[in-house]
Amino acid sequence: MGFQLWFYFILLIFLFCPTLQAAESQQVICGDEVCGNLTIPSPFGIHSSCYTHPFFRVTCKQIHNQKKPFIRINRFDLEVLGSLFEDTILIKNPVTYVNCDHKNEVASARVDLTGTPFFFSSDYNNFATVGCGNLVTIFRNEADAFGGCIQPICADGASESGCSNTISGNFTSTIVTMTAMYPIGKDDRKRCSSAFIFSRLYFRETYPLPIGINIETTHVPTTLSWNSSYCGDAGCEPRPGPISLNDEKSCGNVTFQYPFEIIDQEYPNGWFRVICKKTSNGRKMPFLNINGINLEILDF
């Protein structure tokens, strides 16, 4: 029986040689991962070794005929558009609609960053609103008004107007209120207004609104910043190589080489997950579990 087990183990090593070489050649280079036309900037990552916190995990989704990257923040999947600076990421942010019955499907969309490392910063973002004759006020974190503007009057037959303004400070959630300042006129459609935070570094600023923004715009590029201390003293940048939930790189007298690790993360088929067992005499011995059989690793 012992000879058969050793023979089985040696045979498996030969069978796995091509797999190990492929794993080495396909080792993920964090900061250079690609989804669709976008290179994923660090500290975000698709592979679990390229992000230190789940908030920085990127999911590459097939949308129609194109792959697009998304991050999950609270209950929203937000499309990633790129990175403008080292400490920022550009996302596709939904606008807030008011008095727009035909846009009920997006009227409740409001990104709340509370409880995450992310925040909106006035260093990169401005506030804008599309509509006619309203005083539009934006509140920070549901309490403190920190920006707003008055939409111009729209004469009958005129296209939608709007206004934009700077905002102050950092914030994680917003509420928008609109108060009619002028008679609306005969066209009830002008009651529909939208408001949004947008990245002023992405748009060319014009009066009264950035080019390309109108009442039909449902999403705008917005800049997110983050607090690196949220990820601990080491920050949010991933360490080189696979991320280990403990610092143990060996078991007993055996030291592991990539892609084998004692870790709690997903490897292809789980082939490279090492089980470190303590024997009755207190020694530690490493094993691979292959098809239900624990095979002891002697060395690399």
Side-chain angles (χ1 to χ4, degrees), residues 204-249:
R204 204 173 105 209
E205 289 190 50
T206 58
Y207 180 83
L209 291 169
I211 293 174
I213 297 293
N214 55 58
I215 198 62
E216 300 301 326
T217 302
T218 59
H219 294 76
V220 292
T222 306
T223 302
L224 288 189
S225 302
W226 60 85
N227 182 359
S228 294
S229 64
Y230 196 95
C231 301
D233 294 338
C236 297
E237 294 290 336
R239 289 174 286 174
I243 300 170
S244 176
L245 298 185
N246 55 45
D247 293 329
E248 190 171 10
K249 299 292 184 184

Side-chain angles (χ1 to χ4, degrees), residues 71 78-84 88-95 111 113 119-122 124-127 167 171 174 195-203 213 218-225:
I71 56 173
L78 299 175
E79 183 180 342
V80 177
L81 300 176
S83 179
L84 297 173
T88 68
I89 192 170
L90 202 64
I91 61 160
K92 197 172 181 180
N93 198 27
V95 308
V111 175
L113 306 177
F119 59 90
F120 298 108
S121 172
S122 60
Y124 306 111
N125 295 301
N126 279 6
F127 169 73
I167 49 179
F171 52 100
T174 61
F196 47 90
I197 303 295
F198 71 96
S199 174
R200 66 170 174 267
L201 302 173
Y202 185 88
F203 290 98
I213 297 293
T218 59
H219 294 76
V220 292
T222 306
T223 302
L224 288 189
S225 302

